[in-house]
Amino acid sequence: MRRRSPDFWSGLALAALGGYIVNEARRWDYLTPEGPGPGFFPLWYGLAILALSLALVLASTRAPAIDWRGTGRALAIWAALAISLVLGKAVGFAVSFAALTYFIVAVMYRRGALRAVVVAVALVAAFYVVFPLALGVALP
Amino acid sequence: MDIAAGLMQGFAVALHPANLLWCFVGVLLGTVVGIMPGLGPPATIAMLLPLTALMNPAGAIIMLAGIYYGAKYGGSTTSILLNVPGESSSVVTCIDGYQLARKGRAGPALGIAAIASFVAGTVGVIGLMLIAPPLARFALAFSSPEYFALMALGLAMVVLLAGRSLLKALLAMLVGLWIAGIGTDPFSTTSRFTFGRMELLSGIDFVVVAIGVFALGEVLANMEAHEEPQALPVPKGLRNLLPTMRDMRDCRFAFVNGSVIGFLIGVLPGAGSTIASFISYGVEKAFSRRREQFGTGVIEGVAAPEGANNSETGGALVPLLTLGIPGSGTTAILLAALVLWGFKPGPLFISEHPDMFWGLVASMYIGNVMLLILNLPLVPLFAQVLRAPVYVLYPVIFGLSIVGVYSVSGSAFDLALLAGFGLLGYAMRKLDYPSAPLVLGLVLGGAMERALRQSLMMSEGSLGILVSRPISALMLSFALLILLIPVVARLNAWGLRAMEEENK
């Protein structure tokens, strides 16, 4: 089977978004006695998204090579960030941010465990000194 | 208020010790950010924006503007030493700058970049000072239809110039309009696209999107690569950094060319400093007596684009401060900053807040002098930034992004949105969707819808109001023309190809 272009898939996703916007906009007033209603503007940009994304799908040709290794690295770091944000609610900023930093230094950049611990602790300490202490800004 | 009196008032504001400090902090941060490949001024300003809520607005805008134009100075260092642009506007500087460095002339290349940046940056500020006040007076005649047309024109130009694919730029801009529409409709109090979440009733904060798309998206894209690039050495000592008299003579036209082209392109919403630097380089090459040597290490090939990208910042502030229309991702964030502090950029901004406008103008003169001093003798020191380990830098950016978003709303939901927009920013880079149109669509979306609906209320529902008023009709015609140019060019190319095939 022919490999689809990333433009094909992103076009389909945007077409779905356009369809959702149009569907929602149709539930709201298009025109009211005072003038255009809440559905007026969204209906037009929703239709424009739908039309342009379908044009993108039709115009997409062959798939360029994707650097899956690099993408995997970036997605792994994003997942670590997302997990640290979720963990932050339970364990606080210091622990979750230190864990994220340790992961980046030790796992993604393959530096030694000791160096990773030192960087993580130093950064957490620096954030505490700069934000709550110096600027009076609360940490999450 | 005339220009001389305004400037006097501006210097009184800018020379206040606290504002001088913020100006220095801004240009210093800007230079560092410009040197770091992959961390641009929009990301930095977005990250720092929440913290400026604690500052005096005059000091805050002076600092953020310092980051904006300071980054243009720093961007050349990476282009010359690393052949990697620190900023997108320094891409073209790599061509001759890196070749000069390879020939052992990194010092004069860095020196001429700083001098051209200073000359053109100062010309850009003079242009801003002379053009902004009369333009603001002219724009006082604008009503809702003209504002709608102006925003449509601005978005059309951004979309046209933002990337390689017009379709993708348009789609990014429309998604920005959609994000701007999330929340409660101010006219009817209908909640739109809120997915039943209470947190979305007041809309999505601009800071969350800007930090997610620019800062996190950029860092995630940079973290794909495991290796860190190696820079060429910088010669030590001021004497080795100064260009020769012959270099200065060779760059006379480049200084003028960069200053004028940069400013004019900057005033156009959407064109941006990258386009300015490319056009300036092209003009320099076209009029040069040694055009065949361009690309092999010609000093004016560094001076022209570096001048243009600095002069452009003065020009880009003209539509932002007089019309409230940002022309790029960075100026969109500056607009959001002004709104966050309670100002309304537009035709009345200069007359209602002369201390802010003239203070900013005066600080830019001072900032350019600071940058020249920082970038000539201290460039070897700044080049050390390139040796900073990325495994320390990237967690710092993540931490600043989290704290920045949390300090705006104190909401864990916004942190989840931040992660989502970070992924969106990364996906946009991977799939070659430009992010500037999305951010501009987001910034202008609410005002654009309001202007359109107010126009249609004025005309009792007739779209004719948009084309029956001359200024609005002219701007909408331009917008249409701009969007049709690529379509006509493509049809023309197909026609030519068909004719060639017929002739075979």
Side-chain angles (χ1 to χ4, degrees), chain B residues 74-96:
Chain B
S76 58
T77 308
T78 327
S79 297
I80 292 165
L81 298 178
L82 214 60
N83 202 22
V84 173
E87 285 303 306
S88 61
S89 58
S90 297
V91 169
V92 74
T93 309
C94 292
I95 302 173
D96 281 288

Side-chain angles (χ1 to χ4, degrees), chain A residues 6-7 10-11 14 17 20-22 24-25 28 31 34-42 44-45 48-53 55-56 59 66-75 77-78 81-82 84-85 89 93 97 100-101 104-105 108-111 115 119 123 127 131 135-140, chain B residues 51 54 148 165 167-168 170-171 174-175 177-182 185 187-188 190-195 216 220-228 390-392 394-400 402-403 406-407 412 415-416 418-420 422-423 426 430-431 433 445 448-449 452-454 456-457 461 463:
Chain A
D7 286 355
S10 66
L14 285 165
L17 174 67
Y20 162 75
I21 293 170
V22 170
E24 288 285 294
W28 306 318
L31 283 174
E34 292 82 36
F40 182 87
F41 200 52
W44 283 105
Y45 64 66
I49 291 178
L50 198 56
L52 292 174
S53 53
L56 185 67
I66 289 183
D67 168 22
W68 285 111
R69 201 171 166 180
T71 307
R73 261 179 74 83
L75 291 179
I77 293 163
W78 178 81
L81 171 71
S84 84
L85 289 173
K89 273 202 251 182
F93 176 80
F97 182 58
L100 174 67
T101 305
I104 290 171
V105 179
M108 302 314 295
Y109 284 93
R110 295 188 196 137
R111 296 300 191 273
R115 186 181 296 198
V119 173
L123 287 187
F127 269 83
F131 291 102
L135 296 174
V137 172
L139 293 176
Chain B
L51 302 177
L54 305 167
F148 173 77
S165 165
L167 261 183
K168 289 181 177 179
L170 276 168
L171 280 164
L174 290 166
V175 171
L177 291 182
W178 170 63
I179 297 169
I182 293 174
D185 171 38
F187 287 79
S188 63
T190 306
S191 55
R192 300 187 296 189
F193 311 116
T194 54
F195 305 96
L216 296 191
L220 287 171
N222 287 329
M223 288 175 103
E224 279 191 352
H226 187 263
E227 299 83 18
E228 297 173 40
V390 291
Y391 58 81
V392 176
Y394 293 149
V396 169
I397 295 173
F398 283 140
L400 285 175
I402 295 167
V403 176
Y406 190 76
S407 68
L415 291 179
L418 172 72
L423 189 61
Y426 171 69
K430 285 297 283 184
L431 300 171
Y433 284 80
M448 201 173 174
E449 180 176 11
L452 177 64
R453 287 169 75 176
Q454 282 168 348
L456 295 180
M457 280 176 186
L463 283 166

Side-chain angles (χ1 to χ4, degrees), chain B residues 160-309:
Chain B
L160 175 67
L161 297 167
R164 278 175 288 189
S165 165
L166 176 68
L167 261 183
K168 289 181 177 179
L170 276 168
L171 280 164
M173 183 266 286
L174 290 166
V175 171
L177 291 182
W178 170 63
I179 297 169
I182 293 174
T184 308
D185 171 38
F187 287 79
S188 63
T189 68
T190 306
S191 55
R192 300 187 296 189
F193 311 116
T194 54
F195 305 96
R197 300 286 310 210
M198 291 284 286
E199 297 93 332
L200 289 176
L201 283 176
S202 55
I204 294 180
D205 202 300
F206 172 80
V207 171
V208 179
V209 185
I211 294 181
V213 170
F214 281 118
L216 296 191
E218 212 161 274
V219 169
L220 287 171
N222 287 329
M223 288 175 103
E224 279 191 352
H226 187 263
E227 299 83 18
E228 297 173 40
Q230 292 300 310
L232 294 173
V234 189
K236 292 198 170 59
L238 181 60
R239 212 168 51 177
N240 294 319
L241 288 164
L242 288 178
T244 61
M245 281 311 289
R246 189 181 162 181
D247 290 335
M248 294 296 283
R249 263 201 314 275
D250 288 341
C251 291
R252 277 175 307 179
F253 178 68
F255 291 149
V256 179
N257 157 21
S259 304
V260 176
I261 289 179
F263 182 77
L264 293 178
I265 300 274
V267 173
L268 297 176
S273 52
T274 309
I275 304 278
S277 58
F278 269 98
I279 292 179
S280 175
Y281 183 84
V283 169
E284 192 62 36
K285 187 175 173 182
F287 285 93
S288 173
R289 276 174 300 175
R290 46 172 181 170
R291 73 186 66 137
E292 69 289 344
Q293 290 176 32
F294 270 66
T296 62
V298 175
I299 196 105
E300 56 266 40
V302 174
E306 279 307 306
N309 69 33

